[in-house]
Amino acid sequence: RFSQQTKGTVPSVPLILSAHPVSVKNVGQKFFNVELYPNPATEVLNVSVKLEEQSKQVHYTIIDAMGRMISQDVRNNVKQDTYTVNTANIAAGNYFLVITADNKTIMKKFSVVK
C-alpha cells in the first residue's frame, strides 16, 4: 500500500502509551534535610543531614557518573550530622552522594573541581 502513495509522503500513526497519566509520589523528601557545601568542592565536601527521627544507621555512598562506587561510609545513631568527605583524591567531575537511612534514600549531585 505504501508504494501506492505519492513520492515524498510518509504515513504516520499516533502512538498512545497509556490512557492514564503515570506519576511517582514524592516519597522521603520530608524525612531528609540535606545540604552539600561547598559545591563545587575542591578539597572537602561537607554534608549536613537532619532527619525527622534518629536512625540506627546512615549510609553515605559516593558514585561517579558511570555508576561506579567511589566511597562508602556508615554512621550510627544519627539524627543530625555533619559528614565531611575528602575530595582531594577524587578526580574532577560530577558525582552523586546517595544517603540511605531507615530504608529511605535521597541522592544529591555534586561536582569536584581542581
Side-chain angles (χ1 to χ4, degrees):
R1 292 184 169 210
F2 296 123
S3 63
Q4 296 173 355
Q5 300 283 336
T6 59
K7 260 189 169 176
T9 61
V10 178
S12 63
V13 177
L15 177 62
I16 300 173
L17 297 175
S18 175
H20 304 286
V22 177
S23 66
V24 176
K25 283 185 175 181
N26 198 359
V27 177
Q29 295 300 318
K30 296 290 182 184
F31 185 76
F32 288 97
N33 183 5
V34 177
E35 294 180 22
L36 304 179
Y37 58 93
N39 192 8
T42 53
E43 298 293 320
V44 296
L45 176 72
N46 296 302
V47 182
S48 174
V49 175
K50 294 178 186 171
L51 305 175
E52 286 181 351
E53 298 175 5
Q54 185 167 334
S55 177
K56 288 183 180 181
Q57 287 190 329
V58 175
H59 297 262
Y60 297 94
T61 306
I62 297 175
I63 58 175
D64 66 9
M66 300 295 290
R68 297 174 292 211
M69 185 175 63
I70 303 301
S71 70
Q72 186 174 29
D73 197 9
V74 177
R75 308 269 275 219
N76 297 313
N77 301 319
V78 173
K79 182 170 181 178
Q80 187 170 342
D81 188 22
T82 301
Y83 177 68
T84 303
V85 178
N86 182 1
T87 58
N89 297 326
I90 298 177
N94 295 315
Y95 296 89
F96 296 94
L97 176 66
V98 180
I99 303 170
T100 304
D102 295 333
N103 295 321
K104 294 180 175 87
T105 302
I106 190 167
M107 183 182 299
K108 294 284 191 173
K109 183 177 179 180
F110 70 96
S111 300
V112 174
V113 294
K114 299 295 178 173

